[in-house]
Amino acid sequence: MFEDIKAIYKNDPSVKNIEFILYPGLHSIIIHRYISHPLYQIKIPFIPRLISQIMRVITGIEIHPGAEIGRGIFIDHGMGIVIGETAEIGKNCILYHNVTLGGTGKGRGKRHPTIGDNVIIGTGAILLGAIEVGSNVKIGADTFIINKKVPSNSTVVGTPGKVVKLNGKKVNIELKKIN
């Protein structure tokens, strides 16, 4: 929890003194990390989903109890964020409001994005399918990525998403489809 609180101070210049206690992203992460996800892992039925839906109503952030979320996450504003059941988010990531880490269908198994460490996902970005986003990636606002692989150390923007920066150099690269 302390890494998540530190992430608020690190990433939001407007936070003063103990204002972090007002952040809906922090509330959602705490409830997910310490209540709904552990209950989901021990296969308790219904209650973890009920808790996640209550948090959705309270905060506007929907995190499926099955999602795995690393330490030091910062959810800024949060309203409209959706994180699916098989989503995995690495350490020290930032998600702005209206981000969707969703699936593409009704299949079983891995069907939501895997996000590396130190990733920034801009407002309104939609990432769908069992995609892989490397570490140290910036995804621009309103970027749309479906069933593609995003390389580490890149910046991706647009609909559909394209790599515009890779390892510090400007590029214009189509994302590779995941098989």
Side-chain angles (χ1 to χ4, degrees), residues 67-89:
E68 295 185 23
I69 300 174
R71 304 282 180 206
I73 189 167
F74 176 58
I75 296 176
D76 196 16
H77 299 289
M79 185 59 73
I81 286 183
V82 176
I83 302 172
E85 178 182 23
T86 62
E88 300 171 51
I89 303 173

Side-chain angles (χ1 to χ4, degrees), residues 18-119:
I18 62 164
E19 287 177 5
F20 71 87
I21 63 172
L22 301 174
Y23 279 64
L26 182 62
H27 302 155
S28 293
I29 292 299
I30 288 171
I31 297 301
H32 173 78
R33 188 169 283 142
Y34 299 107
I35 301 174
S36 62
H37 186 65
L39 291 174
Y40 180 86
Q41 288 181 308
I42 60 173
K43 300 190 185 323
I44 291 181
F46 184 71
I47 294 171
R49 286 299 300 269
L50 176 63
I51 292 167
S52 73
Q53 291 304 299
I54 290 168
M55 290 308 295
R56 176 183 176 212
V57 170
I58 293 170
T59 66
I61 300 167
E62 182 175 345
I63 305 173
H64 190 285
E68 295 185 23
I69 300 174
R71 304 282 180 206
I73 189 167
F74 176 58
I75 296 176
D76 196 16
H77 299 289
M79 185 59 73
I81 286 183
V82 176
I83 302 172
E85 178 182 23
T86 62
E88 300 171 51
I89 303 173
K91 295 182 280 184
N92 304 314
C93 292
I94 301 172
L95 278 65
Y96 290 96
H97 65 279
N98 249 10
V99 165
T100 298
L101 303 178
T104 57
K106 297 179 184 177
R108 299 266 182 217
K110 179 70 171 153
R111 60 191 188 284
H112 298 95
T114 298
I115 310 297
D117 297 336
N118 308 307
V119 174

